[in-house]
Amino acid sequence: MEFIVPAELKAVPVEEAKCYDVIIIGAGPAGMTAAVYAARKKLDTLVISKDVGGQTLLAPGVETYMGYQYITGAELMRKFEEQVRQFPIALEINDEVVKLLRDENRFTVRTATGKKFTGRSVIIASGRRARSLNVPRERELIGRGVSYCATCDAPLFGGLDVAVVGSGNPALTAVNELTKCARKVYTIARSAIKADAVLREKAERSGKVEFVVGYAVKEIQGGDKVERIVLKQTAGDKELVLDVRGVFIEIGATPNVAFAKELAELSESNEIRVDCDCKTSVAGLFAAGDVTTVPEKQIIIAAGEGAKAALSAYQYLIEA
Amino acid sequence: MALLSEKVRQEVEHILEGLKGGVKLVVFTQEFECPTCEDNRMLMEELAACSSKIQIEVLDFVRDKEKAELYKLDKIPATVVEGKEDYGIRFYGVPGGYEFASLLHAITMVSSGSSTLSPKTKEQLKRLSKPVHIQVFVTHTCPYCPEVVQLAHEMALESPLITSDMVNAAEFPHLNHKYDIFVVPKTIINETIQFAGAVPESEFLKHVLKAEKR
Ligand SMILES: Cc1cc2nc3c(=O)[nH]c(=O)nc-3n(C[C@H](O)[C@H](O)[C@H](O)COP(=O)(O)OP(=O)(O)OC[C@H]3O[C@@H](n4cnc5c(N)ncnc54)[C@H](O)[C@@H]3O)c2cc1C
């Protein structure tokens, strides 16, 4: 059993009256790395985030962050947080940015708790969140069998039959979490399974997984909880009905950009467009990690991009 | 073998150095310990050994039935975190994984005797006139759960009418069935109000006040 000790709070007061050198939105790997790099350049830094750790908190085991052959996502983020707390960085946590504006050479950030902060530069590192299927009954059955967090909810499905929708690494990671407790795990993929071979082999070894490839979800059915899902062949008309109590949706993610939609230029898939210095279309506004157009969404890449964004912001501030 | 690694134990000792008043952990198990009762008892004993300010009392759910009734406990493993008095703070199941933070939070909070709730919330809680029972269902791997558990425990500390439980869903399948727990965190207040996910303090307070009216 793991016991996660919270990182110690070194309180740096959060001030609405002052103008920060840099405001970082998000405290996942990208935001936290940016914060450390900014603080080492002695920039007056504020981090605003809903949580500390971001999506990596949901990674059961990370085997691709150099320096650690294996570490749980939670533990890795705890180490990031400890490093952040070594510096005089102001942290506004459990809050959410709802609006980002630029007037003259200042940025204004408004939060869900009604606070207003000002900064000379901003780094957006707000990452991504799970995408939904958009099929009938999905919305109403969220929390009633429909889940977007296998890491959180898997232990609730002990002895039950469940389905995972998706074919990439996140989907197979979810499958491997679920085989620990569920009775049977259907894995539904529109075309081929794209996940890394190690993840797929692990799923196969469990003896609990049935791959249903070449099908898409047509609808989820049930009264006040999930009872079954209806699948339809992607290249034909055949339908399949599976009796399941849980449907875990792992079909990728969508960037958290609502607060910046009118300010920064976005790609067709709503990612913030950045150049190789993490600059956006707006002077003084930088972005890093999963929220950007940088291909490959990985912890090590997000962290590296966070470092680059902070150094670019520093360069911008000394030239401004 | 100890449950807490040497490294975790040192970190815990460091956190508990700041304890002000005494804390008592009342741990309920039984002679033939339930599947997770042993882990829970060992965890609490190891924690108590980390600070001279923490006392531990291990009771038997069957033999010490009156005590269990006094604390209004209905299942084990159960742990009551008491400070100067019993504030109504309960842990059902082992507070492992992310919930370890909630246990440390409860200990430091009852030791200081004060919560970090806003003055407005404290004021509103004073108006409660009927008992409110909050149950927060969690899993060890849920990063969003401790926030809700800790908020509920803070309210229990502030109001003598509130009892607040962390319930580790994986250890009580019959309750998952009873309340249809398919997502965590899930909060049940007085059996009538339920909601999923982490919510801000003001919204949580609204649910608590509404529960009283039902
Ligand atoms: C289940 C799972 C397993 C994974 N496993 C691995 C793995 O093994 N190896 C690997 O390299 N990668 C893995 N990943 C991918 C990895 O987690 C991401 O690439 C990485 O977390 C991206 O970091 P980020 O900082 O860009 O964004 P995020 O981690 O998404 O962090 C964004 C932060 O911004 C905050 N935020 C969002 N919106 C707002 C707002 N409006 N206001 C304030 N704050 C906001 C969030 O709360 C969060 O703290 C996994 C992902 C998942 C979901």
Side-chain angles (χ1 to χ4, degrees):
Chain A
M1 201 183 303
E2 214 190 341
F3 295 95
I4 302 163
V5 186
E8 227 185 317
L9 279 166
K10 248 193 225 95
V12 177
V14 172
E15 295 172 58
E16 286 181 78
K18 87 176 184 199
C19 182
Y20 286 93
D21 290 330
V22 58
I23 297 179
I24 298 169
I25 303 172
M32 285 199 274
T33 308
V36 167
Y37 270 80
R40 284 176 59 91
K41 289 287 186 195
K42 301 257 186 256
L43 299 181
D44 207 348
T45 307
L46 167 70
V47 178
I48 308 171
S49 189
K50 284 198 274 201
D51 60 37
V52 178
Q55 293 171 77
T56 303
L57 294 174
L58 308 176
V62 177
E63 297 178 24
T64 49
Y65 197 81
M66 295 308 290
Y68 301 98
Q69 284 177 24
Y70 175 90
I71 185 163
T72 64
E75 209 182 331
L76 183 61
M77 287 304 96
R78 159 91 208 274
K79 287 180 187 292
F80 270 55
E81 185 180 354
E82 276 172 358
Q83 199 161 344
V84 168
R85 291 192 191 271
Q86 297 300 311
F87 296 93
I89 297 167
L91 297 174
E92 169 77 2
I93 305 301
N94 294 339
D95 204 351
E96 182 180 349
V97 173
V98 289
K99 195 85 207 158
L100 170 64
L101 294 167
R102 184 175 203 266
D103 25 49
E104 295 183 20
N105 7 348
R106 293 271 187 278
F107 290 90
T108 314
V109 179
R110 288 184 186 278
T111 75
T113 59
K115 295 190 184 122
K116 182 179 150 192
F117 298 101
T118 324
R120 293 169 62 205
S121 67
V122 166
I123 298 172
I124 301 177
S126 49
R128 307 194 296 172
R129 62 171 187 283
R131 232 174 69 198
S132 45
L133 277 169
N134 288 324
V135 297
R137 306 277 292 134
E138 178 184 4
R139 283 206 140 265
E140 298 103 270
L141 292 170
I142 291 175
R144 297 166 182 278
V146 172
S147 169
Y148 301 90
C149 184
T151 316
C152 309
D153 301 334
L156 309 173
F157 292 81
L160 302 177
D161 292 354
V162 299
V164 173
V165 186
S167 62
N169 283 347
L172 270 285
T173 304
V175 168
N176 289 328
E177 276 304 290
L178 282 157
T179 53
K180 289 182 197 161
C181 44
R183 191 174 66 170
K184 178 161 195 158
V185 184
Y186 295 100
T187 307
I188 299 153
R190 297 176 66 93
S191 51
I193 300 287
K194 299 182 194 107
D196 295 345
V198 274
L199 293 174
R200 187 191 170 129
E201 282 159 14
K202 188 171 174 199
E204 281 163 352
R205 273 199 308 273
S206 75
K208 288 184 175 182
V209 180
E210 184 176 330
F211 290 95
V212 187
V213 177
Y215 283 86
V217 179
K218 190 176 156 204
E219 67 174 301
I220 302 170
Q221 295 182 344
D224 61 353
K225 48 191 159 187
V226 170
E227 288 162 27
R228 67 195 81 81
I229 50 172
V230 183
L231 310 179
K232 187 176 167 296
Q233 232 176 359
T234 30
D237 291 327
K238 208 170 137 197
E239 290 199 352
L240 267 184
V241 179
L242 303 177
D243 284 333
V244 290
R245 291 290 162 273
V247 183
F248 290 81
I249 297 164
E250 299 285 349
I251 53 164
T254 174
N256 298 316
V257 287
F259 58 87
K261 262 198 165 134
E262 283 121 58
L263 190 61
E265 189 188 320
L266 306 179
S267 71
E268 284 112 57
S269 43
N270 269 339
E271 291 170 338
I272 300 177
R273 265 191 216 288
V274 287
D275 68 7
C276 52
D277 293 323
C278 301
K279 287 183 187 139
T280 68
S281 56
V282 180
L285 180 64
F286 304 84
D290 277 17
V291 75
T292 69
T293 43
V294 170
E296 303 305 341
K297 313 302 182 195
Q298 290 285 294
I299 303 164
I300 199 158
I301 294 172
E305 291 289 311
K308 277 167 59 189
L311 296 175
S312 288
Y314 174 70
Q315 207 57 40
Y316 164 81
L317 290 167
I318 54 173
E319 283 166 11
Chain B
M1 215 183 80
L3 284 175
L4 300 179
S5 67
E6 185 54 27
K7 184 173 156 280
V8 168
R9 200 181 53 75
Q10 280 175 14
E11 287 171 348
V12 169
E13 275 179 6
H14 181 65
I15 290 175
L16 298 180
E17 267 167 22
L19 288 188
K20 298 188 185 81
V23 176
K24 188 164 148 196
L25 302 175
V26 186
V27 180
F28 281 83
T29 175
Q30 63 188 21
E31 194 175 353
F32 296 104
E33 292 190 303
C34 69
T36 55
C37 280
E38 185 184 3
D39 277 350
N40 190 58
R41 176 181 50 77
M42 280 173 61
L43 172 66
M44 299 305 165
E45 283 169 352
E46 287 177 32
L47 253 182
C50 289
S51 166
S52 57
K53 290 263 166 58
I54 304 180
Q55 273 183 38
I56 182 166
E57 184 179 13
V58 178
L59 296 171
D60 189 296
F61 192 55
V62 183
R63 249 182 292 128
D64 302 305
K65 200 163 157 251
E66 305 85 69
K67 276 272 176 78
E69 278 166 8
L70 194 71
Y71 284 112
K72 298 200 177 73
L73 306 178
D74 59 357
K75 52 191 169 286
I76 50 170
T79 307
V80 178
V81 181
E82 278 186 354
K84 268 205 288 291
E85 55 185 281
D86 172 17
Y87 297 105
I89 295 172
R90 313 276 185 265
F91 289 86
Y92 289 106
V94 188
Y98 283 109
E99 287 312 319
F100 192 51
S102 298
L103 179 61
L104 294 173
H105 166 266
I107 290 173
T108 41
M109 180 176 68
V110 302
S111 161
S112 73
S114 64
S115 77
T116 58
L117 295 176
S118 73
K120 203 171 135 204
T121 305
K122 289 182 190 172
E123 208 37 57
Q124 302 249 30
L125 287 175
K126 285 201 187 113
R127 299 208 195 121
L128 282 181
S129 58
K130 283 188 234 151
V132 173
H133 179 207
I134 308 174
Q135 302 179 74
V136 184
F137 287 81
V138 303
T139 60
H140 287 177
T141 44
C142 162
Y144 315 110
C145 291
E147 197 185 318
V148 186
V149 170
Q150 292 172 22
L151 194 51
H153 282 160
E154 299 223 337
M155 293 201 179
L157 180 117
E158 289 298 339
S159 168
L161 287 167
I162 298 181
T163 310
S164 161
D165 308 344
M166 177 218 80
V167 185
N168 180 24
E171 290 174 65
F172 303 100
H174 65 289
L175 292 183
N176 298 348
H177 194 71
K178 176 176 171 192
Y179 295 115
D180 277 338
I181 308 289
F182 287 114
V183 67
V184 285
K186 177 133 176 194
T187 307
I188 315 272
I189 308 181
N190 281 5
E191 312 282 321
T192 51
I193 292 197
Q194 9 180 311
F195 58 91
V199 298
E201 183 179 313
S202 54
E203 202 175 315
F204 200 100
L205 177 70
K206 273 188 211 149
H207 287 302
V208 169
L209 298 176
K210 220 176 358 171
E212 196 202 30
K213 295 212 181 76
R214 292 237 177 130

